[in-house]
Amino acid sequence: DIVMTQSHKFMSTSVGDRVSITCKASQDVSTAVAWYQQKPGQSPKLLIYWASTRHTGVPDRFTGSGSGTDYTLTISSVQAEDLALYYCQQHYSTPYTFGGGTKLEIK
Amino acid sequence: QVQLQQSGAELVKPGASVKLSCKASGYTFTSYYMYWVKQRPGQGLEWIGEINPSNGGTNFNEKFKSKATLTVDKSSSTAYMQLSSLTSEDSAVYYCTRSDGEGLDYWGQGTTLTVSS
C-alpha cells in the first residue's frame, strides 16, 4: 500500500497569514493527489484533486501543487473559517490511502 | 443537487452484523463509483472499498475484505455496506462518498456505529 505522510499533525497560524500543509507519498503517485477539509462534526469536503485542480466552489485562496512524491496545499490568506483538519489522499492506486491529517489552529 | 443520505446511528452487540445504507439523489447513480470510508474517534480516514453501481463490481482494501460486503439497489439508487462479526474495533463513523476518479467529491453525513454489549 502507498503510505501518505503528513509530517505536521498541528499547525498554528494567524488570520491573514499564508500557510502550507505538506504531504509525502511513499512512491510516485503521478499527481493523483486530493486534499480534503474536515471541520468539527462535519463530513470531509473535497478541496483539490489531481494535485492542483480546485473543486467547484472552493475559494481561490486554496492552491494545490506538487509532483512525484511531494505535495502541498497552500492557503494564501487564512480565514477564521479555515480552522479544520486537512487530509491528503492518493487516488493513484487502490487502496486509496489518506494521510494522517494536519489540524490547522488559528492563533 | 447531489445528496448522499445515510442511515441513522446503530448500536449493535459484539459478534452481530449490521447493514448501512446510502441513498443517492441529484445525479445518475450508475455514473459514479461509490466508496466507503471509516473514521474512528479522533483518528484519520480509512478507505474500505468501492463498488461500481452499473455492474456491482467491487474492490476492497485487503484489511476489510472479510469484514465488509458492498451492494447496490439500482432501482432505489441506494448503496449498502454490510459489516459482519462486529467488535469494538468496528465502532466508528462510516461515510459513503462518490467519485469519478477525480477525488471524492460528495460525501454522506456519516453513520455512527457503536459496538457494545
Side-chain angles (χ1 to χ4, degrees):
Chain A
D1 297 0
I2 297 173
V3 177
M4 303 295 283
T5 302
Q6 293 179 245
S7 51
H8 294 98
K9 288 194 186 305
F10 301 93
M11 294 184 75
S12 186
T13 186
S14 299
V15 171
D17 280 0
R18 177 186 180 92
V19 67
S20 291
I21 299 170
T22 59
C23 178
K24 188 173 187 68
S26 59
Q27 65 183 71
D28 186 345
V29 292
S30 297
T31 70
V33 170
W35 289 93
Y36 302 88
Q37 176 192 66
Q38 187 176 32
K39 295 184 179 181
Q42 294 185 16
S43 306
K45 287 185 170 59
L46 177 64
L47 297 174
I48 302 284
Y49 58 94
W50 285 114
S52 61
T53 303
R54 216 173 280 118
H55 182 51
T56 306
V58 173
D60 59 9
R61 65 179 182 273
F62 291 93
T63 301
S65 62
S67 62
T69 60
D70 295 298
Y71 298 87
T72 302
L73 174 70
T74 299
I75 309 174
S76 59
S77 178
V78 171
Q79 304 300 301
E81 63 263 30
D82 299 334
L83 161 74
L85 263 164
Y86 292 86
Y87 293 96
C88 61
Q89 182 216 11
Q90 60 86 13
H91 52 98
Y92 179 73
S93 68
T94 59
Y96 296 133
T97 42
F98 293 86
T102 297
K103 187 173 184 180
L104 189 63
E105 299 171 330
I106 311 294
K107 293 177 190 169
Chain B
Q1 71 283 22
V2 174
Q3 287 194 331
L4 300 175
Q5 184 63 39
Q6 296 188 240
S7 47
E10 299 272 4
L11 171 61
V12 296
K13 291 187 177 352
S17 296
V18 70
K19 193 171 188 178
L20 310 183
S21 67
C22 170
K23 183 170 175 59
S25 61
Y27 72 99
T28 302
F29 182 59
T30 51
S31 295
Y32 292 79
Y33 277 56
M34 193 70 78
Y35 295 74
W36 292 84
V37 174
K38 177 182 181 180
Q39 186 169 39
R40 297 200 69 196
Q43 305 283 312
L45 302 165
E46 238 179 329
W47 183 80
I48 296 170
E50 63 186 11
I51 185 165
N52 180 349
S54 66
N55 62 14
T58 56
N59 185 16
F60 286 93
N61 183 337
E62 196 67 32
K63 180 179 175 181
F64 293 96
K65 266 190 175 173
S66 59
K67 172 65 64 177
T69 303
L70 302 182
T71 55
V72 297
D73 177 356
K74 287 192 279 189
S75 68
S76 63
S77 298
T78 302
Y80 298 93
M81 178 173 67
Q82 180 162 327
L83 299 169
S84 61
S85 303
L86 292 168
T87 72
S88 59
E89 297 294 302
D90 299 315
S91 293
V93 176
Y94 291 88
Y95 295 101
C96 61
T97 172
R98 72 164 205 180
S99 177
D100 60 359
E102 297 183 336
L104 304 170
D105 61 353
Y106 287 92
W107 295 63
Q109 80 278 22
T111 295
T112 299
L113 172 64
T114 303
V115 181
S116 173
S117 54

